[in-house]
Coordinates of all heavy atoms in Angstrom, one line a residue:
M1 N -56.1 -4.7 -27.3 CA -55.4 -4.8 -26.1 C -56.4 -4.8 -24.9 O -56.2 -5.5 -24.0 CB -54.4 -3.7 -26.0 CG -53.7 -3.6 -24.7 SD -52.1 -4.5 -24.9 CE -51.4 -4.0 -23.4
A2 N -57.4 -3.9 -25.0 CA -58.4 -3.8 -23.9 C -59.2 -5.1 -23.7 O -59.5 -5.5 -22.6 CB -59.3 -2.6 -24.1
Y3 N -59.5 -5.8 -24.9 CA -60.2 -7.0 -24.8 C -59.4 -8.1 -24.1 O -60.0 -8.8 -23.2 CB -60.5 -7.4 -26.2 CG -61.3 -8.8 -26.3 CD1 -62.6 -8.8 -26.0 CD2 -60.6 -9.9 -26.6 CE1 -63.3 -10.0 -26.0 CE2 -61.3 -11.1 -26.7 CZ -62.6 -11.2 -26.4 OH -63.3 -12.4 -26.4
N4 N -58.1 -8.2 -24.4 CA -57.3 -9.2 -23.7 C -57.2 -8.9 -22.2 O -57.3 -9.8 -21.4 CB -55.9 -9.2 -24.3 CG -55.1 -10.3 -23.8 OD1 -55.6 -11.3 -23.4 ND2 -53.8 -10.2 -23.9
L5 N -57.1 -7.6 -21.8 CA -57.0 -7.2 -20.4 C -58.3 -7.6 -19.7 O -58.3 -8.2 -18.6 CB -56.8 -5.7 -20.2 CG -56.7 -5.2 -18.8 CD1 -55.5 -5.9 -18.1 CD2 -56.5 -3.7 -18.8
Y6 N -59.5 -7.4 -20.4 CA -60.8 -7.8 -19.8 C -60.8 -9.3 -19.6 O -61.3 -9.8 -18.5 CB -61.9 -7.4 -20.8 CG -63.2 -7.9 -20.3 CD1 -63.9 -7.3 -19.3 CD2 -63.8 -8.9 -21.0 CE1 -65.2 -7.7 -18.9 CE2 -65.1 -9.4 -20.6 CZ -65.7 -8.8 -19.6 OH -67.0 -9.3 -19.2
Q7 N -60.3 -10.1 -20.5 CA -60.3 -11.6 -20.4 C -59.5 -12.0 -19.2 O -59.9 -12.9 -18.5 CB -59.9 -12.2 -21.7 CG -60.8 -12.0 -22.9 CD -62.2 -12.6 -22.6 OE1 -62.3 -13.7 -22.0 NE2 -63.2 -12.0 -23.2
V8 N -58.3 -11.4 -19.1 CA -57.4 -11.7 -18.0 C -58.1 -11.4 -16.6 O -58.1 -12.2 -15.7 CB -56.1 -11.0 -18.1 CG1 -55.3 -11.1 -16.8 CG2 -55.3 -11.5 -19.3
Q9 N -58.8 -10.2 -16.5 CA -59.4 -9.8 -15.3 C -60.6 -10.8 -15.0 O -60.8 -11.2 -13.8 CB -60.0 -8.4 -15.4 CG -58.9 -7.4 -15.4 CD -59.4 -6.0 -15.7 OE1 -60.4 -5.8 -16.3 NE2 -58.6 -5.0 -15.3
M10 N -61.3 -11.2 -16.0 CA -62.4 -12.1 -15.8 C -61.9 -13.5 -15.3 O -62.5 -14.1 -14.4 CB -63.3 -12.3 -17.0 CG -64.1 -11.1 -17.4 SD -65.2 -10.6 -16.0 CE -66.3 -12.0 -16.0
A11 N -60.8 -13.9 -15.9 CA -60.2 -15.2 -15.5 C -59.7 -15.2 -14.1 O -60.0 -16.1 -13.3 CB -59.1 -15.6 -16.4
M12 N -59.1 -14.1 -13.7 CA -58.7 -13.9 -12.3 C -59.8 -13.9 -11.3 O -59.8 -14.4 -10.2 CB -57.8 -12.7 -12.2 CG -56.5 -12.7 -12.9 SD -55.4 -14.1 -12.4 CE -55.0 -13.5 -10.7
A13 N -60.9 -13.2 -11.7 CA -62.1 -13.1 -10.8 C -62.7 -14.5 -10.6 O -63.1 -14.9 -9.5 CB -63.1 -12.2 -11.5
W14 N -62.8 -15.3 -11.7 CA -63.3 -16.6 -11.6 C -62.4 -17.5 -10.7 O -62.9 -18.3 -9.9 CB -63.6 -17.3 -12.9 CG -64.9 -16.9 -13.5 CD1 -65.1 -16.0 -14.5 CD2 -66.2 -17.3 -13.1 NE1 -66.4 -15.8 -14.8 CE2 -67.1 -16.6 -13.9 CE3 -66.6 -18.2 -12.1 CZ2 -68.5 -16.8 -13.8 CZ3 -68.0 -18.3 -12.0 CH2 -68.9 -17.7 -12.8
K15 N -61.1 -17.3 -10.9 CA -60.2 -18.1 -10.1 C -60.3 -17.8 -8.6 O -60.4 -18.7 -7.8 CB -58.7 -17.8 -10.6 CG -57.7 -18.5 -9.8 CD -56.3 -18.1 -10.2 CE -55.2 -18.7 -9.3 NZ -53.9 -18.1 -9.6
E16 N -60.4 -16.5 -8.3 CA -60.6 -16.2 -6.9 C -61.9 -16.7 -6.3 O -62.0 -17.2 -5.2 CB -60.6 -14.6 -6.7 CG -59.2 -14.0 -7.0 CD -59.2 -12.5 -6.9 OE1 -60.3 -11.9 -6.6 OE2 -58.2 -11.9 -7.3
R17 N -63.0 -16.6 -7.2 CA -64.3 -17.2 -6.7 C -64.2 -18.7 -6.4 O -64.7 -19.1 -5.4 CB -65.4 -16.9 -7.8 CG -66.7 -17.4 -7.4 CD -67.8 -17.0 -8.4 NE -69.0 -17.6 -8.0 CZ -70.2 -17.4 -8.6 NH1 -70.2 -16.7 -9.7 NH2 -71.3 -18.0 -8.2
V18 N -63.6 -19.4 -7.3 CA -63.5 -20.8 -7.1 C -62.7 -21.1 -5.9 O -63.0 -22.0 -5.1 CB -62.9 -21.5 -8.4 CG1 -62.5 -22.9 -8.1 CG2 -63.8 -21.4 -9.5
E19 N -61.6 -20.4 -5.7 CA -60.8 -20.6 -4.5 C -61.6 -20.3 -3.2 O -61.5 -21.1 -2.2 CB -59.5 -19.7 -4.5 CG -58.5 -20.2 -5.5 CD -57.3 -19.2 -5.7 OE1 -57.4 -18.1 -5.1 OE2 -56.4 -19.6 -6.4
K20 N -62.4 -19.3 -3.2 CA -63.2 -18.9 -2.0 C -64.2 -20.0 -1.8 O -64.5 -20.4 -0.6 CB -63.9 -17.6 -2.2 CG -63.0 -16.4 -2.1 CD -63.7 -15.1 -2.3 CE -62.8 -13.9 -2.2 NZ -63.5 -12.7 -2.5
E21 N -64.9 -20.5 -2.9 CA -65.9 -21.6 -2.7 C -65.2 -22.8 -2.2 O -65.8 -23.5 -1.3 CB -66.6 -21.8 -4.0 CG -67.5 -20.7 -4.4 CD -68.2 -20.9 -5.8 OE1 -67.9 -22.0 -6.4 OE2 -69.0 -20.1 -6.2
N22 N -64.1 -23.2 -2.7 CA -63.4 -24.4 -2.2 C -63.0 -24.2 -0.7 O -63.1 -25.2 0.0 CB -62.1 -24.7 -3.0 CG -62.5 -25.2 -4.4 OD1 -63.6 -25.7 -4.6 ND2 -61.6 -25.1 -5.4
A23 N -62.5 -23.0 -0.3 CA -62.2 -22.8 1.1 C -63.4 -23.0 2.0 O -63.4 -23.6 3.0 CB -61.6 -21.4 1.2
Q24 N -64.6 -22.4 1.5 CA -65.8 -22.6 2.3 C -66.2 -24.0 2.4 O -66.7 -24.5 3.4 CB -66.9 -21.7 1.7 CG -66.7 -20.2 1.9 CD -66.8 -19.8 3.3 OE1 -67.5 -20.4 4.1 NE2 -65.9 -18.9 3.7
A25 N -66.1 -24.8 1.3 CA -66.5 -26.2 1.3 C -65.6 -27.0 2.2 O -66.0 -27.8 3.0 CB -66.4 -26.7 -0.1
D26 N -64.3 -26.7 2.2 CA -63.3 -27.4 3.1 C -63.7 -27.1 4.6 O -63.7 -28.0 5.4 CB -61.9 -26.9 2.8 CG -61.4 -27.5 1.5 OD1 -62.0 -28.4 1.0 OD2 -60.4 -26.9 1.0
K27 N -64.0 -25.8 4.8 CA -64.4 -25.4 6.2 C -65.7 -26.2 6.6 O -65.7 -26.7 7.7 CB -64.6 -23.9 6.3 CG -65.0 -23.4 7.6 CD -65.2 -21.9 7.6 CE -65.6 -21.4 9.0 NZ -65.9 -20.0 9.0
A28 N -66.6 -26.2 5.7 CA -67.9 -26.9 6.1 C -67.7 -28.4 6.3 O -68.2 -29.0 7.2 CB -68.9 -26.7 4.9
N29 N -66.8 -29.0 5.5 CA -66.5 -30.4 5.7 C -65.8 -30.7 7.0 O -66.1 -31.7 7.7 CB -65.6 -31.0 4.5 CG -66.4 -31.1 3.2 OD1 -67.7 -31.2 3.2 ND2 -65.7 -31.1 2.1
A30 N -64.9 -29.8 7.3 CA -64.2 -30.0 8.6 C -65.1 -29.8 9.8 O -65.0 -30.6 10.8 CB -63.0 -28.9 8.7
E31 N -66.0 -28.8 9.7 CA -67.0 -28.6 10.8 C -67.9 -29.9 10.9 O -68.3 -30.3 12.0 CB -67.8 -27.4 10.5 CG -67.0 -26.1 10.7 CD -67.8 -24.9 10.3 OE1 -68.9 -25.0 9.8 OE2 -67.3 -23.8 10.6
A32 N -68.3 -30.4 9.8 CA -69.2 -31.6 9.8 C -68.5 -32.8 10.4 O -69.0 -33.5 11.2 CB -69.7 -31.9 8.4
A33 N -67.2 -32.9 10.1 CA -66.4 -34.0 10.6 C -66.3 -33.9 12.1 O -66.3 -34.8 12.9 CB -65.0 -34.1 9.9
M34 N -66.0 -32.6 12.6 CA -65.9 -32.4 14.0 C -67.2 -32.7 14.7 O -67.3 -33.2 15.8 CB -65.4 -31.0 14.2 CG -64.0 -30.8 13.9 SD -63.5 -29.1 14.3 CE -61.8 -29.1 13.9
A35 N -68.3 -32.3 14.1 CA -69.6 -32.5 14.7 C -69.9 -34.0 14.8 O -70.5 -34.4 15.8 CB -70.7 -31.8 13.8
R36 N -69.5 -34.8 13.8 CA -69.7 -36.2 13.8 C -68.9 -36.8 14.9 O -69.3 -37.9 15.5 CB -69.4 -36.9 12.5 CG -70.4 -36.8 11.5 CD -70.2 -37.7 10.3 NE -68.9 -37.5 9.7 CZ -68.6 -36.7 8.7 NH1 -69.6 -35.9 8.2 NH2 -67.4 -36.6 8.2
A37 N -67.8 -36.2 15.3 CA -66.9 -36.8 16.3 C -67.3 -36.3 17.7 O -66.6 -36.6 18.7 CB -65.4 -36.4 16.0
G38 N -68.3 -35.5 17.8 CA -68.8 -35.0 19.1 C -68.1 -33.7 19.5 O -68.2 -33.3 20.6
M39 N -67.5 -33.0 18.6 CA -66.9 -31.7 18.9 C -67.7 -30.6 18.4 O -68.3 -30.7 17.3 CB -65.5 -31.7 18.3 CG -64.6 -32.8 18.8 SD -62.9 -32.7 18.4 CE -62.8 -32.3 16.7
A40 N -67.8 -29.5 19.2 CA -68.5 -28.3 18.8 C -67.8 -27.6 17.7 O -66.6 -27.7 17.5 CB -68.8 -27.4 20.0
V41 N -68.6 -26.8 16.9 CA -68.0 -26.0 15.8 C -67.1 -24.9 16.3 O -66.1 -24.6 15.6 CB -69.2 -25.4 15.0 CG1 -68.7 -24.5 13.9 CG2 -70.0 -26.5 14.4
D42 N -67.3 -24.4 17.5 CA -66.4 -23.3 17.9 C -65.1 -23.8 18.4 O -64.2 -23.0 18.8 CB -67.1 -22.5 19.1 CG -67.4 -23.4 20.3 OD1 -67.1 -24.6 20.2 OD2 -67.9 -22.8 21.3
G43 N -64.8 -25.1 18.3 CA -63.5 -25.6 18.7 C -63.5 -26.3 20.0 O -62.5 -27.0 20.4
S44 N -64.5 -26.1 20.8 CA -64.5 -26.8 22.1 C -64.9 -28.2 21.9 O -65.5 -28.6 20.9 CB -65.5 -26.1 23.1 OG -66.8 -26.2 22.5
V45 N -64.6 -29.0 22.9 CA -64.8 -30.4 22.8 C -65.7 -30.9 23.9 O -65.4 -30.7 25.1 CB -63.5 -31.2 22.8 CG1 -63.8 -32.7 22.7 CG2 -62.6 -30.8 21.7
A46 N -66.8 -31.5 23.6 CA -67.8 -31.8 24.6 C -67.5 -33.2 25.2 O -67.6 -33.3 26.4 CB -69.2 -31.9 24.0
S47 N -66.9 -34.1 24.5 CA -66.7 -35.4 25.0 C -65.3 -35.7 25.5 O -65.1 -36.8 26.0 CB -67.1 -36.4 23.9 OG -66.2 -36.3 22.8
M48 N -64.4 -34.8 25.4 CA -63.0 -35.0 25.8 C -62.8 -34.4 27.1 O -63.4 -33.4 27.5 CB -62.0 -34.4 24.8 CG -62.0 -35.2 23.5 SD -61.0 -34.4 22.3 CE -59.4 -34.3 23.1
P49 N -61.9 -34.9 28.0 CA -61.5 -34.2 29.2 C -60.9 -32.9 28.9 O -60.3 -32.7 27.8 CB -60.5 -35.2 29.8 CG -60.7 -36.5 29.1 CD -61.3 -36.2 27.8
M50 N -61.0 -32.0 29.8 CA -60.5 -30.6 29.5 C -59.0 -30.5 29.2 O -58.6 -29.8 28.4 CB -60.8 -29.7 30.7 CG -60.6 -28.3 30.4 SD -61.6 -27.8 29.0 CE -62.1 -26.2 29.5
S51 N -58.2 -31.4 29.9 CA -56.8 -31.4 29.6 C -56.5 -31.7 28.2 O -55.6 -31.1 27.5 CB -56.0 -32.3 30.5 OG -56.5 -33.6 30.3
Q52 N -57.2 -32.7 27.6 CA -56.9 -33.0 26.2 C -57.5 -32.0 25.3 O -56.9 -31.7 24.2 CB -57.6 -34.4 25.9 CG -56.8 -35.6 26.4 CD -57.4 -36.9 25.9 OE1 -58.6 -36.9 25.7 NE2 -56.6 -37.9 25.8
A53 N -58.6 -31.4 25.6 CA -59.3 -30.4 24.8 C -58.4 -29.2 24.6 O -58.4 -28.5 23.6 CB -60.6 -30.1 25.3
T54 N -57.7 -28.8 25.7 CA -56.9 -27.6 25.6 C -55.5 -27.8 25.1 O -54.8 -26.8 24.8 CB -56.8 -26.9 27.0 OG1 -56.3 -27.8 27.9 CG2 -58.2 -26.5 27.4
K55 N -55.0 -29.0 25.0 CA -53.7 -29.3 24.6 C -53.4 -29.1 23.1 O -52.5 -28.5 22.7 CB -53.3 -30.8 24.9 CG -52.7 -31.0 26.2 CD -52.2 -32.4 26.2 CE -52.2 -33.0 27.6 NZ -51.9 -34.4 27.6
G56 N -54.3 -29.7 22.3 CA -54.0 -29.8 20.9 C -54.4 -28.6 20.1 O -55.0 -27.7 20.5
S57 N -53.9 -28.7 18.8 CA -54.3 -27.6 17.9 C -55.4 -28.2 17.0 O -55.9 -29.3 17.2 CB -53.1 -27.3 17.0 OG -52.7 -28.5 16.2
N58 N -55.8 -27.4 16.1 CA -56.9 -27.9 15.2 C -56.4 -29.1 14.4 O -57.2 -30.0 14.0 CB -57.3 -26.8 14.2 CG -58.2 -25.8 14.9 OD1 -58.8 -26.1 15.9 ND2 -58.3 -24.6 14.3
R59 N -55.1 -29.2 14.1 CA -54.6 -30.3 13.4 C -54.8 -31.6 14.2 O -55.1 -32.6 13.7 CB -53.1 -30.1 13.0 CG -52.5 -31.3 12.4 CD -51.1 -31.1 11.9 NE -51.3 -30.5 10.6 CZ -50.3 -29.9 9.9 NH1 -49.1 -29.8 10.4 NH2 -50.5 -29.5 8.7
S60 N -54.5 -31.5 15.5 CA -54.7 -32.7 16.3 C -56.1 -33.1 16.4 O -56.5 -34.3 16.5 CB -54.1 -32.5 17.7 OG -54.8 -31.5 18.4
Y61 N -57.1 -32.1 16.4 CA -58.5 -32.4 16.4 C -58.8 -33.1 15.1 O -59.6 -34.1 15.1 CB -59.3 -31.2 16.6 CG -59.3 -30.6 17.9 CD1 -59.3 -29.2 18.1 CD2 -59.1 -31.3 19.1 CE1 -59.2 -28.6 19.3 CE2 -59.1 -30.7 20.3 CZ -59.1 -29.4 20.4 OH -59.0 -28.8 21.7
S62 N -58.3 -32.6 14.0 CA -58.6 -33.3 12.7 C -58.0 -34.7 12.7 O -58.7 -35.6 12.2 CB -58.0 -32.5 11.6 OG -58.6 -31.2 11.5
T63 N -56.9 -34.9 13.2 CA -56.2 -36.2 13.3 C -57.1 -37.1 14.1 O -57.3 -38.3 13.8 CB -54.8 -36.1 13.9 OG1 -54.1 -35.2 13.1 CG2 -54.2 -37.4 13.9
Q64 N -57.6 -36.6 15.2 CA -58.4 -37.4 16.1 C -59.7 -37.8 15.4 O -60.2 -38.9 15.5 CB -58.8 -36.7 17.4 CG -59.6 -37.4 18.3 CD -60.0 -36.7 19.6 OE1 -59.7 -35.5 19.7 NE2 -60.6 -37.3 20.5
V65 N -60.3 -36.9 14.7 CA -61.5 -37.2 13.9 C -61.2 -38.2 12.9 O -62.0 -39.2 12.7 CB -62.1 -35.9 13.2 CG1 -63.1 -36.2 12.2 CG2 -62.6 -34.9 14.3
L66 N -60.1 -38.1 12.2 CA -59.8 -39.1 11.1 C -59.5 -40.5 11.8 O -60.0 -41.5 11.2 CB -58.6 -38.6 10.3 CG -58.8 -37.4 9.4 CD1 -57.5 -37.0 8.8 CD2 -59.8 -37.7 8.4
K67 N -58.8 -40.5 12.9 CA -58.6 -41.8 13.6 C -59.9 -42.4 14.0 O -60.0 -43.6 13.9 CB -57.6 -41.6 14.7 CG -56.2 -41.4 14.3 CD -55.3 -41.2 15.5 CE -53.8 -41.0 15.0 NZ -52.9 -40.8 16.2
S68 N -60.8 -41.6 14.6 CA -62.0 -42.2 15.0 C -62.8 -42.7 13.9 O -63.5 -43.8 13.9 CB -62.8 -41.2 15.8 OG -63.3 -40.1 15.0
R69 N -62.8 -42.0 12.8 CA -63.5 -42.5 11.6 C -62.9 -43.8 11.0 O -63.6 -44.7 10.6 CB -63.5 -41.4 10.5 CG -64.2 -41.8 9.2 CD -65.7 -41.9 9.4 NE -66.3 -42.2 8.1 CZ -67.3 -43.0 7.9 NH1 -67.9 -43.5 9.0 NH2 -67.8 -43.2 6.7
L70 N -61.5 -43.8 11.0 CA -60.8 -45.0 10.6 C -61.2 -46.2 11.5 O -61.4 -47.3 11.0 CB -59.3 -44.8 10.6 CG -58.5 -45.9 10.1 CD1 -58.8 -46.2 8.7 CD2 -57.0 -45.6 10.3
D71 N -61.2 -46.0 12.8 CA -61.6 -47.1 13.7 C -63.0 -47.6 13.4 O -63.3 -48.8 13.4 CB -61.5 -46.6 15.2 CG -60.1 -46.4 15.6 OD1 -59.2 -46.9 14.9 OD2 -59.9 -45.7 16.6
E72 N -63.9 -46.6 13.1 CA -65.3 -47.0 12.8 C -65.4 -47.8 11.5 O -66.1 -48.8 11.5 CB -66.2 -45.7 12.7 CG -67.6 -46.0 12.4 CD -68.4 -44.7 12.2 OE1 -68.0 -43.6 12.7 OE2 -69.4 -44.7 11.4
L73 N -64.6 -47.4 10.5 CA -64.6 -48.1 9.3 C -64.0 -49.5 9.4 O -64.5 -50.5 8.8 CB -63.9 -47.3 8.2 CG -64.6 -46.1 7.7 CD1 -63.7 -45.2 6.8 CD2 -65.9 -46.4 7.0
E74 N -62.9 -49.6 10.2 CA -62.3 -50.9 10.4 C -63.3 -51.8 11.2 O -63.3 -53.0 10.9 CB -61.0 -50.8 11.2 CG -59.9 -50.2 10.4 CD -58.6 -50.0 11.2 OE1 -58.7 -50.0 12.4 OE2 -57.6 -49.8 10.5
R75 N -64.1 -51.3 12.1 CA -65.1 -52.1 12.8 C -66.1 -52.6 11.8 O -66.5 -53.8 11.8 CB -65.7 -51.3 13.9 CG -66.7 -52.1 14.7 CD -67.4 -51.2 15.8 NE -68.0 -50.0 15.2 CZ -69.1 -49.9 14.5 NH1 -69.8 -50.9 14.2 NH2 -69.5 -48.7 14.0
E76 N -66.6 -51.7 11.0 CA -67.6 -52.1 10.0 C -67.0 -53.1 9.0 O -67.7 -54.1 8.6 CB -68.1 -50.9 9.2 CG -68.9 -49.9 10.0 CD -69.3 -48.7 9.2 OE1 -69.2 -48.7 7.9 OE2 -69.8 -47.7 9.8
L77 N -65.8 -53.0 8.6 CA -65.1 -54.0 7.8 C -65.0 -55.3 8.4 O -65.3 -56.4 7.8 CB -63.7 -53.5 7.4 CG -62.9 -54.4 6.5 CD1 -63.6 -54.5 5.1 CD2 -61.5 -53.8 6.3
G78 N -64.7 -55.4 9.7 CA -64.7 -56.6 10.4 C -66.0 -57.3 10.5 O -66.1 -58.5 10.3
E79 N -67.1 -56.5 10.7 CA -68.5 -57.1 10.7 C -68.8 -57.6 9.3 O -69.4 -58.7 9.2 CB -69.5 -56.0 11.1 CG -69.3 -55.6 12.5 CD -70.2 -54.4 12.9 OE1 -71.0 -53.9 12.0 OE2 -70.2 -53.9 14.0
E80 N -68.5 -56.9 8.3 CA -68.8 -57.3 6.9 C -68.0 -58.6 6.6 O -68.5 -59.5 5.9 CB -68.4 -56.3 5.9 CG -69.3 -55.1 5.9 CD -70.7 -55.4 5.4 OE1 -70.9 -56.3 4.5 OE2 -71.7 -54.8 5.9
R81 N -66.7 -58.7 7.1 CA -65.9 -59.9 6.8 C -66.5 -61.1 7.5 O -66.6 -62.2 6.9 CB -64.5 -59.6 7.4 CG -63.5 -60.7 7.0 CD -62.1 -60.4 7.4 NE -61.6 -59.4 6.6 CZ -61.0 -58.2 7.0 NH1 -60.9 -58.0 8.3 NH2 -60.6 -57.4 6.1
K82 N -67.0 -60.9 8.7 CA -67.7 -62.0 9.4 C -68.9 -62.5 8.7 O -69.2 -63.7 8.5 CB -68.0 -61.6 10.9 CG -66.9 -61.5 11.8 CD -67.3 -61.0 13.2 CE -66.1 -60.8 14.1 NZ -66.5 -60.2 15.4
L83 N -69.7 -61.5 8.2 CA -70.9 -61.9 7.5 C -70.6 -62.6 6.2 O -71.2 -63.6 5.8 CB -71.7 -60.6 7.2 CG -72.4 -60.0 8.4 CD1 -73.1 -58.7 7.9 CD2 -73.5 -60.9 8.9
R84 N -69.5 -62.2 5.5 CA -69.1 -62.8 4.2 C -68.7 -64.2 4.5 O -69.0 -65.2 3.8 CB -68.0 -62.0 3.6 CG -67.5 -62.6 2.2 CD -66.3 -61.9 1.7 NE -65.2 -61.7 2.6 CZ -64.3 -62.6 2.8 NH1 -64.3 -63.8 2.3 NH2 -63.3 -62.3 3.7
E85 N -67.9 -64.4 5.6 CA -67.4 -65.8 5.9 C -68.6 -66.7 6.2 O -68.6 -67.9 5.8 CB -66.4 -65.7 7.0 CG -65.1 -65.1 6.6 CD -64.2 -64.8 7.8 OE1 -64.6 -65.0 9.0 OE2 -63.0 -64.4 7.6
K86 N -69.6 -66.2 6.9 CA -70.8 -67.0 7.2 C -71.5 -67.4 6.0 O -71.9 -68.5 5.8 CB -71.7 -66.2 8.2 CG -72.9 -67.0 8.6 CD -73.8 -66.1 9.5 CE -75.0 -66.9 9.9 NZ -75.9 -67.3 8.9
V87 N -71.7 -66.4 5.1 CA -72.4 -66.7 3.8 C -71.6 -67.7 3.0 O -72.2 -68.6 2.4 CB -72.6 -65.4 3.0 CG1 -73.0 -65.7 1.6 CG2 -73.6 -64.5 3.7
E88 N -70.2 -67.6 2.9 CA -69.4 -68.6 2.2 C -69.6 -69.9 2.8 O -69.6 -70.9 2.1 CB -68.0 -68.1 2.2 CG -67.7 -66.9 1.3 CD -66.3 -66.5 1.4 OE1 -65.5 -66.9 2.3 OE2 -65.9 -65.6 0.6
L89 N -69.6 -70.0 4.1 CA -69.8 -71.3 4.8 C -71.2 -71.9 4.5 O -71.3 -73.1 4.2 CB -69.6 -71.1 6.3 CG -69.7 -72.4 7.2 CD1 -68.6 -73.4 6.8 CD2 -69.6 -72.1 8.6
D90 N -72.2 -71.1 4.5 CA -73.5 -71.5 4.2 C -73.6 -72.0 2.7 O -74.2 -73.0 2.4 CB -74.6 -70.4 4.4 CG -74.8 -70.1 5.9 OD1 -74.3 -70.9 6.8 OD2 -75.3 -69.0 6.2
L91 N -72.9 -71.3 1.9 CA -72.9 -71.7 0.4 C -72.2 -73.0 0.3 O -72.7 -73.9 -0.5 CB -72.3 -70.6 -0.4 CG -72.2 -70.8 -1.9 CD1 -73.6 -70.9 -2.5 CD2 -71.4 -69.7 -2.6
A92 N -71.1 -73.2 1.0 CA -70.4 -74.5 0.9 C -71.2 -75.6 1.4 O -71.2 -76.7 0.8 CB -69.1 -74.4 1.6
T93 N -72.0 -75.3 2.5 CA -72.9 -76.4 3.0 C -74.0 -76.7 2.0 O -74.3 -77.9 1.9 CB -73.5 -75.8 4.3 OG1 -72.5 -75.5 5.2 CG2 -74.3 -76.9 5.0
L94 N -74.5 -75.7 1.4 CA -75.6 -76.0 0.4 C -75.1 -76.7 -0.8 O -75.8 -77.6 -1.4 CB -76.2 -74.6 -0.1 CG -77.1 -74.0 0.9 CD1 -77.6 -72.6 0.4 CD2 -78.3 -74.8 1.2
K95 N -73.8 -76.5 -1.2 CA -73.3 -77.2 -2.4 C -73.0 -78.6 -2.1 O -73.1 -79.5 -3.0 CB -71.9 -76.5 -2.8 CG -72.1 -75.2 -3.6 CD -70.8 -74.7 -4.0 CE -71.0 -73.4 -4.9 NZ -69.7 -72.9 -5.3
E96 N -72.7 -78.9 -0.8 CA -72.5 -80.3 -0.4 C -73.7 -81.1 -0.4 O -73.7 -82.3 -0.7 CB -71.8 -80.4 1.0 CG -70.4 -79.8 1.0 CD -69.9 -79.8 2.5 OE1 -70.6 -80.1 3.4 OE2 -68.7 -79.4 2.6
T97 N -74.8 -80.5 -0.2 CA -76.1 -81.3 -0.1 C -76.8 -81.4 -1.4 O -76.5 -81.0 -2.4 CB -77.1 -80.6 0.9 OG1 -77.4 -79.3 0.5 CG2 -76.5 -80.6 2.3

């Protein structure tokens, strides 16, 4: 009986440790995302007007970070698409000759 109790306690301890590590990793990722978006770690916003910075919650900041990242990725996708179309056109030109 004591052996089984020990195993249960060890399993619970590892579960708690993993949960704490995941929480710290999530926090670090959120801070890094905010830093990339120009926001300070303490929650203040350097690049936004004060009225916008004081309005939202952390969720709105996260949403803003995600939207800015999405815009950046869409811009990069557009550039890649233009380059691909140029290469396809060059390839078609080479095949004709």
Side-chain angles (χ1 to χ4, degrees):
M1 177 93 172
Y3 177 77
N4 189 26
L5 181 59
Y6 173 76
Q7 294 296 328
V8 170
Q9 289 173 338
M10 289 301 295
M12 293 300 291
W14 277 106
K15 179 183 172 188
E16 290 174 9
R17 179 177 176 175
V18 169
E19 288 173 352
K20 287 180 184 178
E21 288 177 358
N22 287 339
Q24 289 295 323
D26 290 344
K27 181 180 175 184
N29 288 338
E31 288 174 355
M34 287 183 180
R36 281 193 304 270
M39 299 188 316
V41 175
D42 62 356
S44 63
V45 180
S47 63
M48 292 175 55
M50 191 57 141
S51 61
Q52 282 185 334
T54 57
K55 267 190 213 177
S57 64
N58 284 339
R59 174 173 275 169
S60 65
Y61 291 144
S62 296
T63 302
Q64 181 182 5
V65 169
L66 291 174
K67 285 182 180 179
S68 65
R69 180 70 177 140
L70 181 62
D71 291 339
E72 179 182 336
L73 290 173
E74 287 177 344
R75 181 185 51 78
E76 290 177 15
L77 180 63
E79 291 173 2
E80 290 291 327
R81 186 174 289 130
K82 288 178 186 176
L83 290 173
R84 180 184 51 84
E85 290 170 353
K86 182 182 180 299
V87 168
E88 288 176 350
L89 183 62
D90 291 345
L91 182 62
T93 304
L94 287 174
K95 282 184 178 179
E96 289 175 359
T97 59

